[in-house]
mmCIF file of all heavy atoms in Angstrom:
data_model
loop_
_atom_site.group_PDB
_atom_site.id
_atom_site.type_symbol
_atom_site.label_atom_id
_atom_site.label_comp_id
_atom_site.label_asym_id
_atom_site.label_seq_id
_atom_site.Cartn_x
_atom_site.Cartn_y
_atom_site.Cartn_z
ATOM 1 N N GLY T 164 28.997 93.884 40.015
ATOM 2 C CA GLY T 164 28.503 93.423 41.309
ATOM 3 C C GLY T 164 29.420 92.467 42.033
ATOM 4 O O GLY T 164 29.145 92.075 43.173
ATOM 5 N N TRP T 165 30.557 92.084 41.413
ATOM 6 C CA TRP T 165 31.466 91.113 42.016
ATOM 7 C C TRP T 165 32.693 91.773 42.640
ATOM 8 O O TRP T 165 33.509 91.090 43.263
ATOM 9 C CB TRP T 165 31.918 90.094 40.970
ATOM 10 C CG TRP T 165 30.853 89.142 40.521
ATOM 11 C CD1 TRP T 165 29.776 89.429 39.743
ATOM 12 C CD2 TRP T 165 30.775 87.743 40.811
ATOM 13 N NE1 TRP T 165 29.026 88.305 39.532
ATOM 14 C CE2 TRP T 165 29.613 87.250 40.168
ATOM 15 C CE3 TRP T 165 31.579 86.858 41.531
ATOM 16 C CZ2 TRP T 165 29.227 85.911 40.229
ATOM 17 C CZ3 TRP T 165 31.202 85.522 41.598
ATOM 18 C CH2 TRP T 165 30.036 85.064 40.966
ATOM 19 N N ASN T 166 32.868 93.060 42.491
ATOM 20 C CA ASN T 166 34.063 93.712 43.018
ATOM 21 C C ASN T 166 34.149 93.559 44.546
ATOM 22 O O ASN T 166 33.198 93.864 45.272
ATOM 23 C CB ASN T 166 34.065 95.203 42.663
ATOM 24 C CG ASN T 166 35.326 95.895 43.129
ATOM 25 O OD1 ASN T 166 36.424 95.360 43.038
ATOM 26 N ND2 ASN T 166 35.173 97.103 43.642
ATOM 27 N N GLY T 167 35.300 93.092 45.011
ATOM 28 C CA GLY T 167 35.523 92.920 46.439
ATOM 29 C C GLY T 167 34.914 91.667 47.036
ATOM 30 O O GLY T 167 35.031 91.421 48.246
ATOM 31 N N ILE T 168 34.274 90.848 46.197
ATOM 32 C CA ILE T 168 33.605 89.631 46.677
ATOM 33 C C ILE T 168 34.633 88.540 46.988
ATOM 34 O O ILE T 168 35.574 88.315 46.224
ATOM 35 C CB ILE T 168 32.602 89.129 45.618
ATOM 36 C CG1 ILE T 168 31.423 90.092 45.512
ATOM 37 C CG2 ILE T 168 32.110 87.726 45.942
ATOM 38 C CD1 ILE T 168 30.583 90.182 46.764
ATOM 39 N N ASP T 169 34.442 87.854 48.107
ATOM 40 C CA ASP T 169 35.237 86.670 48.428
ATOM 41 C C ASP T 169 34.446 85.454 47.963
ATOM 42 O O ASP T 169 33.668 84.858 48.720
ATOM 43 C CB ASP T 169 35.509 86.602 49.932
ATOM 44 C CG ASP T 169 36.472 85.485 50.310
ATOM 45 O OD1 ASP T 169 36.681 84.579 49.475
ATOM 46 O OD2 ASP T 169 36.992 85.501 51.442
ATOM 47 N N ALA T 170 34.617 85.089 46.690
ATOM 48 C CA ALA T 170 33.835 83.997 46.108
ATOM 49 C C ALA T 170 34.138 82.663 46.777
ATOM 50 O O ALA T 170 33.255 81.804 46.885
ATOM 51 C CB ALA T 170 34.099 83.913 44.607
ATOM 52 N N SER T 171 35.376 82.469 47.233
ATOM 53 C CA SER T 171 35.734 81.225 47.925
ATOM 54 C C SER T 171 34.916 81.056 49.196
ATOM 55 O O SER T 171 34.405 79.963 49.486
ATOM 56 C CB SER T 171 37.231 81.217 48.272
ATOM 57 O OG SER T 171 38.028 81.188 47.123
ATOM 58 N N ALA T 172 34.779 82.136 49.963
ATOM 59 C CA ALA T 172 34.025 82.060 51.211
ATOM 60 C C ALA T 172 32.542 81.814 50.946
ATOM 61 O O ALA T 172 31.896 81.016 51.645
ATOM 62 C CB ALA T 172 34.208 83.347 52.014
ATOM 63 N N ILE T 173 31.991 82.480 49.934
ATOM 64 C CA ILE T 173 30.566 82.299 49.621
ATOM 65 C C ILE T 173 30.292 80.862 49.171
ATOM 66 O O ILE T 173 29.403 80.184 49.699
ATOM 67 C CB ILE T 173 30.113 83.293 48.542
ATOM 68 C CG1 ILE T 173 30.204 84.728 49.062
ATOM 69 C CG2 ILE T 173 28.679 82.981 48.089
ATOM 70 C CD1 ILE T 173 29.930 85.780 47.999
ATOM 71 N N LEU T 174 31.064 80.387 48.190
ATOM 72 C CA LEU T 174 30.832 79.044 47.667
ATOM 73 C C LEU T 174 31.191 77.977 48.704
ATOM 74 O O LEU T 174 30.520 76.947 48.803
ATOM 75 C CB LEU T 174 31.625 78.836 46.377
ATOM 76 C CG LEU T 174 31.389 77.522 45.628
ATOM 77 C CD1 LEU T 174 29.906 77.299 45.359
ATOM 78 C CD2 LEU T 174 32.178 77.507 44.318
ATOM 79 N N GLY T 175 32.241 78.238 49.496
ATOM 80 C CA GLY T 175 32.599 77.296 50.552
ATOM 81 C C GLY T 175 31.500 77.176 51.591
ATOM 82 O O GLY T 175 31.217 76.088 52.102
ATOM 83 N N GLY T 176 30.858 78.307 51.907
ATOM 84 C CA GLY T 176 29.739 78.275 52.846
ATOM 85 C C GLY T 176 28.549 77.509 52.298
ATOM 86 O O GLY T 176 27.828 76.833 53.042
ATOM 87 N N ILE T 177 28.325 77.594 50.999
ATOM 88 C CA ILE T 177 27.217 76.874 50.361
ATOM 89 C C ILE T 177 27.515 75.375 50.285
ATOM 90 O O ILE T 177 26.659 74.541 50.597
ATOM 91 C CB ILE T 177 26.957 77.430 48.946
ATOM 92 C CG1 ILE T 177 26.471 78.877 49.017
ATOM 93 C CG2 ILE T 177 25.963 76.564 48.179
ATOM 94 C CD1 ILE T 177 26.451 79.587 47.674
ATOM 95 N N ALA T 178 28.753 75.041 49.877
ATOM 96 C CA ALA T 178 29.091 73.642 49.601
ATOM 97 C C ALA T 178 29.618 72.885 50.810
ATOM 98 O O ALA T 178 29.558 71.650 50.843
ATOM 99 C CB ALA T 178 30.124 73.577 48.473
ATOM 100 N N GLY T 179 30.164 73.602 51.787
ATOM 101 C CA GLY T 179 30.708 72.937 52.961
ATOM 102 C C GLY T 179 32.010 72.204 52.710
ATOM 103 O O GLY T 179 32.358 71.259 53.432
ATOM 104 N N VAL T 180 32.757 72.608 51.680
ATOM 105 C CA VAL T 180 34.068 72.018 51.372
ATOM 106 C C VAL T 180 35.051 73.151 51.089
ATOM 107 O O VAL T 180 34.642 74.287 50.810
ATOM 108 C CB VAL T 180 33.993 71.073 50.146
ATOM 109 C CG1 VAL T 180 33.090 69.881 50.425
ATOM 110 C CG2 VAL T 180 33.536 71.828 48.903
ATOM 111 N N PRO T 181 36.357 72.882 51.131
ATOM 112 C CA PRO T 181 37.337 73.930 50.807
ATOM 113 C C PRO T 181 37.169 74.407 49.361
ATOM 114 O O PRO T 181 36.942 73.606 48.455
ATOM 115 C CB PRO T 181 38.689 73.218 50.998
ATOM 116 C CG PRO T 181 38.406 72.049 51.865
ATOM 117 C CD PRO T 181 37.008 71.625 51.553
ATOM 118 N N VAL T 182 37.303 75.719 49.165
ATOM 119 C CA VAL T 182 37.184 76.318 47.835
ATOM 120 C C VAL T 182 38.369 77.248 47.619
ATOM 121 O O VAL T 182 38.733 78.018 48.509
ATOM 122 C CB VAL T 182 35.865 77.107 47.679
ATOM 123 C CG1 VAL T 182 35.802 77.783 46.303
ATOM 124 C CG2 VAL T 182 34.664 76.194 47.876
ATOM 125 N N ARG T 183 38.959 77.172 46.442
ATOM 126 C CA ARG T 183 40.018 78.092 46.050
ATOM 127 C C ARG T 183 39.572 78.854 44.817
ATOM 128 O O ARG T 183 39.043 78.262 43.876
ATOM 129 C CB ARG T 183 41.313 77.340 45.744
ATOM 130 C CG ARG T 183 42.053 76.820 46.967
ATOM 131 C CD ARG T 183 42.739 77.947 47.735
ATOM 132 N NE ARG T 183 43.621 78.722 46.876
ATOM 133 C CZ ARG T 183 44.873 78.382 46.584
ATOM 134 N NH1 ARG T 183 45.396 77.266 47.071
ATOM 135 N NH2 ARG T 183 45.618 79.150 45.809
ATOM 136 N N CYS T 184 39.787 80.165 44.818
ATOM 137 C CA CYS T 184 39.395 81.019 43.694
ATOM 138 C C CYS T 184 40.645 81.542 43.005
ATOM 139 O O CYS T 184 41.610 81.949 43.667
ATOM 140 C CB CYS T 184 38.527 82.172 44.194
ATOM 141 S SG CYS T 184 37.885 83.257 42.896
ATOM 142 N N GLU T 185 40.630 81.537 41.666
ATOM 143 C CA GLU T 185 41.790 81.978 40.898
ATOM 144 C C GLU T 185 41.322 82.658 39.626
ATOM 145 O O GLU T 185 40.225 82.391 39.120
ATOM 146 C CB GLU T 185 42.676 80.765 40.570
ATOM 147 C CG GLU T 185 43.987 81.096 39.889
ATOM 148 C CD GLU T 185 44.839 82.064 40.682
ATOM 149 O OE1 GLU T 185 45.561 81.627 41.595
ATOM 150 O OE2 GLU T 185 44.761 83.284 40.367
ATOM 151 N N ASN T 186 42.118 83.563 39.110
ATOM 152 C CA ASN T 186 41.874 84.184 37.803
ATOM 153 C C ASN T 186 41.857 83.111 36.718
ATOM 154 O O ASN T 186 42.604 82.139 36.768
ATOM 155 C CB ASN T 186 42.963 85.216 37.532
ATOM 156 C CG ASN T 186 42.964 85.693 36.107
ATOM 157 O OD1 ASN T 186 43.770 85.236 35.308
ATOM 158 N ND2 ASN T 186 42.052 86.580 35.763
ATOM 159 N N ASP T 187 40.997 83.278 35.711
ATOM 160 C CA ASP T 187 40.830 82.229 34.702
ATOM 161 C C ASP T 187 42.085 81.987 33.865
ATOM 162 O O ASP T 187 42.396 80.838 33.523
ATOM 163 C CB ASP T 187 39.621 82.517 33.812
ATOM 164 C CG ASP T 187 39.674 83.871 33.108
ATOM 165 O OD1 ASP T 187 40.618 84.647 33.333
ATOM 166 O OD2 ASP T 187 38.735 84.157 32.330
ATOM 167 N N ALA T 188 42.830 83.040 33.532
ATOM 168 C CA ALA T 188 44.064 82.838 32.764
ATOM 169 C C ALA T 188 45.107 82.097 33.599
ATOM 170 O O ALA T 188 45.848 81.255 33.075
ATOM 171 C CB ALA T 188 44.620 84.179 32.293
#
Side-chain angles (χ1 to χ4, degrees):
W165 290 71
N166 183 40
I168 291 295
D169 187 343
S171 294
I173 295 173
L174 186 53
I177 295 169
V180 296
V182 177
R183 286 286 305 276
C184 184
E185 186 57 83
N186 168 260
D187 57 357

